[in-house]
Amino acid sequence: HDAGAYSCYVWPVIVAERVAAIVSVGFSAEAPATQSQQELGAECAARLQTALSNAERGERLYRQAHFDSLTSLPNRLLFHDRLSQELKNAIDNAQRSALLYIDLDHFKKVNDSVGHVAGDQLLTIVGQRLRACVKEGDTVARLGGDEFTVILRNLPSAEAAGTIAERIIEALQRPVNLGGRDQFVRASIGITLFPDYADNIEAVMRNADLAMYLAK
């Protein structure tokens, strides 16, 4: 009305059973839109629906391929991609980064005592707590099962990685109520610095894995 429209024709654009967009054409006169104008508006809405549907499908396929369906964390594929980028960045800019390899201790007992559904809830909570322990720009990923990783970017010192690992251990030790009962989990964390001790992904992963088993 403020723009001078007396009447409007509106075409909702539906994508995945929701209104994703609206095509609206305003007319300064009371006379209805002509048949050709209505057809043109409907065609524009249809083309927009096709474009948005393709974009939504592409985004959904990307998330399915790169994110863990349970925790919504990056999966193994995306983790490797980000680790590769961070390793290159650390080498090129003479910065120190770290990889934390995290394995939950005795997680099988949780599944056996309260069931797999509750176990999945626990893994989701673990993912949330891990993200709360790191800064924006760091990567928390779930490799599978009860194995998680954290990429810490641009550390001020080697000791900083240990400080964050201690923060994670403290966060994960807090009880988790599942089915009316408090469950307690612990984590073993292996830490490796790069590019201090490795300049390729295979070596970084091997060092972190060995460090985790030493911690366990």
Side-chain angles (χ1 to χ4, degrees):
H1 183 267
D2 291 341
Y6 184 88
S7 62
C8 289
Y9 261 72
V10 174
W11 295 266
V13 179
I14 309 298
V15 176
E17 299 182 350
R18 64 180 178 85
V19 178
I22 295 173
V23 176
S24 177
V25 179
F27 296 89
S28 58
E30 185 177 358
T34 64
Q35 182 67 28
S36 62
Q37 289 172 331
Q38 294 181 41
E39 292 174 353
L40 181 59
E43 182 181 351
C44 289
R47 292 187 180 188
L48 183 57
Q49 181 184 42
T50 299
L52 292 177
S53 296
N54 291 338
E56 191 272 340
R57 187 182 302 110
E59 181 179 352
R60 185 175 66 252
L61 292 175
Y62 178 85
R63 289 200 63 83
Q64 290 175 350
H66 294 86
F67 288 86
D68 176 53
S69 59
L70 177 63
T71 63
S72 297
L73 296 174
N75 62 12
R76 185 182 294 270
L77 178 63
L78 183 54
F79 159 72
H80 274 274
D81 181 61
R82 292 190 178 177
L83 180 58
S84 176
Q85 293 179 24
E86 185 55 30
L87 179 59
K88 183 179 185 303
N89 179 68
I91 294 173
D92 293 344
N93 298 290
Q95 296 175 346
R96 174 182 288 117
S97 297
L99 174 63
L100 276 57
Y101 200 121
I102 304 167
D103 184 80
L104 302 184
D105 298 331
H106 311 301
F107 175 72
K108 186 176 183 299
K109 291 183 179 179
V110 175
N111 274 339
D112 293 341
S113 61
V114 294
H116 289 276
V117 173
D120 288 347
Q121 294 176 351
L122 175 60
L123 292 174
T124 301
I125 293 172
V126 166
Q128 294 169 351
R129 291 184 179 181
L130 289 176
R131 281 187 290 193
C133 290
V134 301
K135 67 181 183 298
E136 185 177 355
D138 294 337
T139 295
V140 178
R142 180 185 178 216
L143 301 189
D146 60 348
E147 295 181 340
F148 296 82
T149 55
V150 177
I151 303 172
L152 301 175
R153 304 178 65 238
N154 194 19
L155 292 171
S157 66
E159 291 74 20
T163 300
I164 295 173
E166 291 173 358
R167 185 190 308 162
I168 289 173
I169 288 175
E170 292 175 1
L172 296 184
Q173 284 179 340
R174 297 198 305 268
V176 178
N177 190 278
L178 299 172
R181 295 175 53 189
D182 283 343
Q183 300 291 332
F184 295 86
V185 295
R186 289 186 158 190
S188 297
I189 303 179
I191 307 173
T192 186
L193 303 175
F194 62 89
D196 304 57
Y197 301 105
D199 59 1
N200 61 80
I201 290 182
E202 290 74 17
V204 172
M205 291 295 297
R206 182 172 60 252
N207 290 347
D209 189 52
L210 290 172
M212 186 274 292
Y213 277 103
L214 287 173
K216 189 177 283 290

